[in-house]
Amino acid sequence: MKLKVFADRMSQPSRAVIIFCKVNGIDFEEVKVDLSKRQHLSSEFKEINPMGKVPAIVDGRFKLFESHAILIYLSCAFPGVPDHWYPADLFRRAKIQSVLDWHHSNLRQGAVGYVLNSTLAPALGRPLNPEAAAEAEKLLFSSLTKIESVWLKGKGRFLLGGFQPSVGDLSLVCEIMQLEVLDEEDRDRILGPHKKVQQWIESTRNATQPHFDEVHKVLIKVRTLLQAQRSASGKTPLASKM
Amino acid sequence: MKLKVFADRMSQPSRAVIIFCKVNGIDFEEVKVDLSKRQHLSSEFKEINPMGKVPAIVDGRFKLFESHAILIYLSCAFPGVPDHWYPADLFRRAKIQSVLDWHHSNLRQGAVGYVLNSTLAPALGRPLNPEAAAEAEKLLFSSLTKIESVWLKGKGRFLLGGFQPSVGDLSLVCEIMQLEVLDEEDRDRILGPHKKVQQWIESTRNATQPHFDEVHKVLIKVRTLLQAQRSASGKTPLASKM
């Protein structure tokens, strides 16, 4: 039975899992769980993930959620996945685990908090929250700075000095890519000062093409809709077009 | 060269790593990094962990931070550690990984946010923040509810229906144990409705004694100091006694 990936490409961990499968030639079926239609909260989806979050996978009788756990599982369960994604070497693996753990309370919290509270909230039926956005922006900015000074310190083009991407690169870059829905000035203010981060995004993109661009198309679509909405003074709710 | 664990027992992930080493007979040196004296921000400690957080380890020439990465590394690097802590089986391991990943943005964010903003902040030179505490309490409460309805659903006394504890049990229980510093009424209000969580804490405690109680002693000391402080109208700053 084919692997099923329950996902919404608007969710950055969903994108990481989909790109991973495509890049590694894993035969899978993408099942859309539409967040804007609140399908993640349906009783049908909660049979797959009782936490009501995407992504989640079903591989035969085995169900799993949390994108990092999924990426690690896929790396180990599918023999064709090259070692660099999640190295068998104990020390390199531990360092990647450290990146993945760090991500949750730093880059992810900052990026999601900022994009949601500064831009996306109305599309999900919630008000914008400038105070929460300002707080999240601080965390996002300091996380990007730490990525440059700590994780991108080594010789290679990837995290931990790697010459090939790991699941850590894919997860963190997909997180940052959500900044694409911001207006250009806003995105430049945040990403502009982080040149090494920009190069690393480009390296990760190049290493995972054409899938990277294809899976991220949705963000460009959302940005265009948001721009149109702003020009039309918010008359068309984004959710109805997604 | 002996494993070094850089930790402050006031930090719940530090306690998890220390208990893990003690329970598994790992020969290690505990190096105190005093958070109340801001030693985690010293340039000396940043040589160990550039993120300035405890716990961190040095094992020979290998440095590592992030408690989940450390617990996983120790489980794999020290051959005497029983399999149940981090099973070699792909499927069981993936499920534990899922628990560990879930933890960051749910139980941890809720528990730390609540205890810090409702109780501990003044000891760290910050003001209390009742609004942030109320927000964190919601997340803490819903996380405890999810632990009961999802993670503790199986047959055994531990997470995922296990009959023996995993690194997931240890990490999550140590997180909840920080509620010990709250006053009794407050703690009962949060933990009281979660009977299965209480039983599971007791099971994890029993499986890791006498180390569990020994390592958690610091919390009882802090609670007593905080009670005394409240009676004396906050004349003695906690930090000076820790």
Side-chain angles (χ1 to χ4, degrees):
Chain A
M1 207 160 63
K2 206 189 268 192
L3 172 75
K4 284 188 179 182
V5 176
F6 295 80
D8 182 327
R9 293 185 180 196
M10 275 302 290
S11 121
Q12 42 285 4
S14 290
R15 290 196 299 275
V17 170
I18 295 168
I19 293 169
F20 184 85
C21 289
K22 286 180 179 257
V23 168
N24 288 296
I26 294 173
D27 189 22
F28 75 107
E29 179 191 344
E30 183 179 339
V31 184
K32 176 149 185 186
V33 180
D34 194 324
L35 297 177
S36 73
K37 293 182 182 154
R38 303 173 72 78
Q39 289 175 350
H40 56 300
L41 302 175
S42 69
S43 56
E44 196 186 342
F45 181 64
K46 285 199 172 169
E47 288 292 312
I48 309 295
N49 180 0
M51 301 298 182
K53 296 266 173 80
V54 287
I57 61 165
V58 176
D59 188 21
R61 287 190 309 257
F62 185 63
K63 295 174 188 169
L64 190 65
F65 54 88
E66 285 292 333
S67 70
H68 292 169
I70 293 171
L71 291 168
I72 291 172
Y73 169 77
L74 295 175
S75 300
C76 299
F78 288 80
V81 175
D83 185 71
H84 63 81
W85 287 108
Y86 188 63
D89 177 78
L90 177 64
F91 302 104
R92 289 172 61 206
R93 183 171 279 198
K95 289 281 192 181
I96 290 172
Q97 195 75 48
S98 177
V99 170
L100 293 173
D101 288 336
W102 174 84
H103 176 233
H104 291 281
S105 309
N106 294 282
L107 178 63
R108 176 153 184 75
Q109 206 174 312
V112 169
Y114 182 70
V115 172
L116 186 73
N117 290 302
S118 74
T119 306
L120 274 188
L124 301 168
R126 301 186 216 170
L128 293 177
N129 185 337
E131 207 173 283
E135 197 59 37
E137 187 182 341
K138 271 189 238 162
L139 183 56
L140 169 57
F141 205 90
S142 73
S143 297
L144 293 170
T145 305
K146 287 288 186 198
I147 288 174
E148 297 208 321
S149 65
V150 179
W151 299 127
L152 286 173
K153 216 176 153 190
K155 280 182 189 169
R157 290 173 301 147
F158 298 98
L159 300 176
L160 302 163
F163 291 91
Q164 306 257 35
S166 77
V167 292
D169 293 278
L170 189 55
S171 172
L172 273 60
V173 166
C174 284
E175 195 70 51
I176 298 172
M177 283 302 289
Q178 69 184 297
L179 302 183
E180 289 295 314
V181 307
L182 304 178
D183 69 41
E184 212 173 318
E185 197 182 319
D186 207 15
R187 195 167 66 254
D188 284 353
R189 185 172 48 79
I190 295 168
L191 274 184
H194 299 103
K195 301 292 177 216
K196 270 171 92 175
V197 164
Q198 290 176 46
Q199 284 164 6
W200 161 63
I201 293 172
E202 206 47 32
S203 299
T204 305
R205 180 175 169 260
N206 289 335
T208 55
Q209 287 290 47
H211 313 293
F212 190 91
D213 279 358
E214 191 256 313
V215 173
H216 280 99
K217 261 185 194 160
V218 63
L219 297 184
I220 312 302
K221 198 177 146 194
V222 169
R223 183 173 60 199
T224 311
L225 283 168
L226 284 168
Q227 278 165 345
Q229 252 186 355
R230 273 190 290 268
S231 320
S233 317
K235 277 173 195 158
T236 319
L238 175 66
S240 67
K241 298 204 171 187
M242 264 156 71
Chain B
M1 207 160 64
K2 205 190 269 193
L3 171 74
K4 284 189 179 181
V5 176
F6 295 81
D8 182 327
R9 292 186 180 196
M10 274 303 290
S11 122
Q12 43 284 3
S14 290
R15 291 196 299 274
V17 170
I18 294 167
I19 292 170
F20 183 86
C21 289
K22 286 180 179 257
V23 168
N24 289 296
I26 294 173
D27 189 23
F28 75 107
E29 179 191 343
E30 183 179 341
V31 184
K32 176 147 186 188
V33 180
D34 195 324
L35 298 178
S36 72
K37 292 181 183 154
R38 301 174 72 79
Q39 288 176 349
H40 55 301
L41 303 176
S42 69
S43 56
E44 195 186 343
F45 181 63
K46 285 201 172 168
E47 289 290 313
I48 309 296
N49 179 2
M51 302 296 182
K53 296 266 171 80
V54 286
I57 62 165
V58 177
D59 188 20
R61 286 190 309 256
F62 185 63
K63 294 174 190 170
L64 190 65
F65 56 88
E66 284 292 335
S67 70
H68 291 171
I70 293 171
L71 290 169
I72 291 171
Y73 169 77
L74 295 175
S75 299
C76 299
F78 287 81
V81 175
D83 184 72
H84 63 82
W85 287 107
Y86 188 63
D89 177 78
L90 177 65
F91 303 103
R92 289 171 63 206
R93 182 172 280 197
K95 289 281 193 183
I96 289 170
Q97 195 75 49
S98 178
V99 170
L100 293 173
D101 288 336
W102 174 85
H103 176 233
H104 291 281
S105 308
N106 294 282
L107 178 63
R108 176 152 183 77
Q109 206 174 313
V112 168
Y114 183 70
V115 172
L116 186 72
N117 289 301
S118 73
T119 307
L120 274 188
L124 301 168
R126 302 187 215 168
L128 293 177
N129 184 338
E131 207 173 284
E135 198 59 37
E137 188 182 340
K138 272 189 239 164
L139 183 57
L140 169 57
F141 206 90
S142 74
S143 298
L144 293 170
T145 305
K146 287 288 185 197
I147 289 174
E148 297 208 319
S149 65
V150 179
W151 299 126
L152 285 173
K153 215 177 154 189
K155 280 181 188 167
R157 290 173 301 146
F158 298 99
L159 299 176
L160 302 163
F163 291 91
Q164 305 257 35
S166 77
V167 291
D169 294 277
L170 190 55
S171 172
L172 273 60
V173 165
C174 284
E175 195 70 51
I176 298 173
M177 283 301 289
Q178 68 183 299
L179 302 183
E180 288 295 313
V181 306
L182 304 178
D183 70 40
E184 212 173 319
E185 198 182 318
D186 207 14
R187 195 167 66 254
D188 284 354
R189 184 170 49 80
I190 294 167
L191 274 184
H194 299 103
K195 302 292 176 214
K196 271 171 92 175
V197 164
Q198 290 176 48
Q199 285 163 8
W200 161 63
I201 293 171
E202 205 48 31
S203 299
T204 305
R205 179 175 170 261
N206 289 335
T208 55
Q209 288 288 48
H211 313 293
F212 190 92
D213 280 357
E214 190 256 312
V215 173
H216 280 99
K217 260 185 197 161
V218 63
L219 297 184
I220 312 301
K221 196 176 147 194
V222 170
R223 183 174 58 199
T224 311
L225 282 168
L226 283 168
Q227 278 165 344
Q229 252 186 356
R230 275 190 290 267
S231 321
S233 317
K235 278 174 193 157
T236 319
L238 175 66
S240 67
K241 297 204 170 187
M242 265 156 71

PDB file of all heavy atoms in Angstrom, chain B residues 2 53 127 144:
ATOM      1  N   LYS B   2      35.866  11.562  31.153  1.00  0.00           N
ATOM      2  CA  LYS B   2      34.498  11.414  31.644  1.00  0.00           C
ATOM      3  C   LYS B   2      33.542  12.379  30.948  1.00  0.00           C
ATOM      4  O   LYS B   2      33.899  13.529  30.659  1.00  0.00           O
ATOM      5  CB  LYS B   2      34.538  11.726  33.142  1.00  0.00           C
ATOM      6  CG  LYS B   2      33.423  11.082  33.936  1.00  0.00           C
ATOM      7  CD  LYS B   2      33.380  11.636  35.343  1.00  0.00           C
ATOM      8  CE  LYS B   2      34.215  10.829  36.314  1.00  0.00           C
ATOM      9  NZ  LYS B   2      33.932  11.164  37.726  1.00  0.00           N
ATOM     10  N   LYS B  53      22.317  28.035  26.508  1.00  0.00           N
ATOM     11  CA  LYS B  53      21.239  27.321  27.196  1.00  0.00           C
ATOM     12  C   LYS B  53      21.774  26.048  27.849  1.00  0.00           C
ATOM     13  O   LYS B  53      22.683  25.413  27.305  1.00  0.00           O
ATOM     14  CB  LYS B  53      20.145  26.911  26.196  1.00  0.00           C
ATOM     15  CG  LYS B  53      19.407  28.069  25.519  1.00  0.00           C
ATOM     16  CD  LYS B  53      18.140  28.433  26.259  1.00  0.00           C
ATOM     17  CE  LYS B  53      17.493  29.705  25.739  1.00  0.00           C
ATOM     18  NZ  LYS B  53      16.720  29.500  24.525  1.00  0.00           N
ATOM     19  N   PRO B 127       9.489  41.197  35.491  1.00  0.00           N
ATOM     20  CA  PRO B 127       8.194  41.351  36.170  1.00  0.00           C
ATOM     21  C   PRO B 127       7.271  40.161  35.892  1.00  0.00           C
ATOM     22  O   PRO B 127       7.418  39.491  34.866  1.00  0.00           O
ATOM     23  CB  PRO B 127       7.618  42.622  35.535  1.00  0.00           C
ATOM     24  CG  PRO B 127       8.247  42.683  34.184  1.00  0.00           C
ATOM     25  CD  PRO B 127       9.614  42.054  34.311  1.00  0.00           C
ATOM     26  N   LEU B 144      -1.930  18.905  28.906  1.00  0.00           N
ATOM     27  CA  LEU B 144      -2.138  17.821  29.887  1.00  0.00           C
ATOM     28  C   LEU B 144      -3.329  16.959  29.466  1.00  0.00           C
ATOM     29  O   LEU B 144      -3.297  15.732  29.584  1.00  0.00           O
ATOM     30  CB  LEU B 144      -2.360  18.406  31.289  1.00  0.00           C
ATOM     31  CG  LEU B 144      -1.137  19.107  31.902  1.00  0.00           C
ATOM     32  CD1 LEU B 144      -1.524  19.870  33.170  1.00  0.00           C
ATOM     33  CD2 LEU B 144      -0.019  18.106  32.206  1.00  0.00           C
TER      34      LEU B 144
END
